[in-house]
Amino acid sequence: MYLLAIESSCDETAVAILGPAPRLLASVVASQVPVHQKFGGVVPEIASRQHLLTLNPLLEQALQQAQLNWEHLGAVAVTRGPGLVGSLLVGISAAKAIAWALNIPLIGVNHLAGHIYANFLAHPGLELPALCLVVSGGHTDLIYLPEHGRFERLGRTRDDAAGEAFDKVARALGLGYPGGPLVDRLAREGNPEAISLPRAFLEEGSLDFSFSGLKSAVLNYLNRARQRGEEVNKADLAAAFQEAVIDVLVEKTLQAAGRTGVERILLAGGVAANSRLRQQLEERTQQAGLKLYYPPLDLCTDNAAMIGAAGWYLWQAGYRDDLYLNAEANLPLV
Ligand code: KG4
Ligand code: ZN
């Protein structure tokens, strides 16, 4: 009853092994950040080549960490999308080879379902229904989960994802890549009220998001200051930007909770690592009598443990893929 999980959708190569419950027995992540850093973002072709180099040693490392052999594995789960198609194919090809060689089930997992299921790994007693705010580099969604394996989308971003906005603003501020954690850190030294930035709440009652106007407002602020030869307080600007993103995320999450009547709120995706977002949601959910769950930092950003967590439920529910499983760059969750 051991499940091997592989994640290679973007710029982290990751392998995990789960045992019954499900319980995490091994989790290894090889980050490609140093490789892409000099380009200021992920270069897809380099990412797939890097996955090819790192995946086999990571598989051996995970087995060693879990103190298991190949023969112990009962199923293999792999991210099948969304993500970079070349990167996804490396993980999928490896998973197919393993499934075929060991004659064990192959289970394709949606990367976003993985982010959500990191919460079930971190909080074993967690029950449904729940509402999940999924905030990653490519997605910003409000998802209602009535039961395991069912996802209903209540809101989504109409333009930039929250993480994407963090990354673009970080680049404009000259902070580097990946931008989210750098903005998070710098914002702690700034005053969010020093600079006034717009918050897009959209039409009355809408649970959708929009962050491109806010991103443009930051870029305009920087350009105006540059033209006037004025010094910009980067910490204040980072704090004001972050606060504007978080205000909207928190407000709409609470609105969605009120509408669905859920008692549990989950936070998922790379931006769930943001310290201010966690703090603000913690405060507001407590005031509203709701229970907030989020994964530990290492399960927020891309990893294979979360793919294993989602894969575990699919495995137990009898879900199987065949060897024609293909990568889907734009695979929807709902
Ligand atoms: O989920 P993830 O690792 O990859 C995707 O599936 O997209 O999310 C990556 C995103 C990046 O945009 C990164 O800047 C952002 O998560 N991120 C953060 C923080 N840590 C990672 N954003 C804000 N604050 C953070 N502490
Ligand atoms: Zn992700």
Side-chain angles (χ1 to χ4, degrees):
M1 280 295 272
Y2 296 105
L3 173 86
L4 176 76
I6 301 175
E7 152 67 34
S8 70
S9 68
C10 190
D11 59 343
E12 329 272 0
T13 324
V15 177
I17 297 174
L18 280 75
R23 195 163 62 89
L24 187 59
L25 302 178
S27 179
V28 284
V29 181
S31 168
Q32 300 182 4
V33 165
V35 183
H36 299 287
Q37 216 147 30
K38 55 178 172 289
F39 303 104
V42 181
V43 184
E45 180 62 27
I46 297 177
S48 9
R49 286 169 190 272
Q50 205 59 32
H51 286 305
L52 272 177
L53 289 175
T54 32
L55 188 51
N56 280 349
L58 278 191
L59 286 164
E60 294 293 345
Q61 214 178 310
L63 283 168
Q64 252 177 30
Q65 206 177 83
Q67 298 187 321
L68 294 173
N69 297 316
W70 290 104
E71 300 75 53
H72 289 117
L73 301 177
V76 53
V78 63
T79 307
R80 69 181 181 102
L84 301 169
V85 76
S87 290
L88 287 164
L89 282 171
V90 177
I92 291 174
S93 308
K96 282 184 189 175
I98 294 165
W100 184 69
L102 299 177
N103 195 22
I104 57 175
L106 171 70
I107 298 157
V109 174
N110 184 305
H111 181 81
L112 296 172
H115 274 301
I116 295 171
Y117 271 76
N119 281 291
F120 293 96
L121 202 53
H123 310 284
L126 175 55
E127 287 177 24
L128 294 176
L131 174 76
C132 186
L133 172 66
V134 185
V135 269
S136 73
H139 294 81
T140 301
D141 290 326
L142 270 168
I143 304 287
Y144 175 64
L145 295 106
E147 57 190 54
H148 279 293
R150 266 186 64 200
F151 307 100
E152 293 170 19
R153 188 167 48 220
L154 307 179
R156 64 187 306 180
T157 182
R158 293 186 186 170
D159 39 58
D160 289 356
E164 193 180 351
F166 267 93
D167 293 336
K168 287 177 178 167
V169 164
R171 193 174 310 163
L173 289 173
L175 299 181
Y177 147 89
L182 300 168
V183 172
D184 187 352
R185 206 171 313 145
L186 183 63
R188 284 177 215 162
E189 295 156 29
N191 172 10
E193 278 154 29
I195 300 163
S196 157
L197 292 173
R199 281 134 174 86
F201 285 100
L202 307 173
E203 322 78 72
E204 178 78 32
S206 170
L207 293 174
D208 282 350
F209 302 94
S210 165
F211 295 110
S212 72
L214 170 62
K215 176 194 66 189
S216 302
V218 172
L219 298 181
N220 289 340
Y221 182 91
L222 282 168
N223 283 336
R224 263 199 314 273
R226 209 164 287 143
Q227 277 164 7
R228 293 186 195 142
E230 289 168 4
E231 195 65 38
V232 171
N233 184 323
K234 288 189 182 180
D236 284 349
L237 190 53
F241 159 76
Q242 180 175 273
E243 207 66 12
V245 173
I246 290 172
D247 274 355
V248 181
L249 289 177
V250 171
E251 199 52 51
K252 299 231 171 190
T253 303
L254 277 129
Q255 272 180 28
R259 227 178 277 179
T260 49
V262 292
E263 291 165 6
R264 304 170 197 90
I265 307 284
L266 321 183
L267 188 53
V271 185
N274 185 275
S275 56
R276 183 76 182 146
L277 175 60
R278 286 166 176 245
Q279 184 196 351
Q280 286 291 86
L281 258 183
E282 193 83 73
E283 262 175 40
R284 291 288 305 278
T285 48
Q286 233 171 50
Q287 284 165 7
L290 302 167
K291 186 106 182 63
L292 177 69
Y293 299 86
Y294 46 76
L297 289 182
D298 57 339
L299 290 184
C300 284
T301 46
D302 288 348
N303 65 85
M306 67 184 200
I307 302 304
W312 189 275
Y313 283 95
L314 289 170
W315 183 25
Q316 299 307 308
Y319 178 89
R320 303 290 184 264
D321 276 301
D322 60 28
L323 294 176
Y324 289 101
L325 179 71
N326 206 351
E328 280 189 61
N330 299 312
L331 182 70
L333 177 65
V334 183

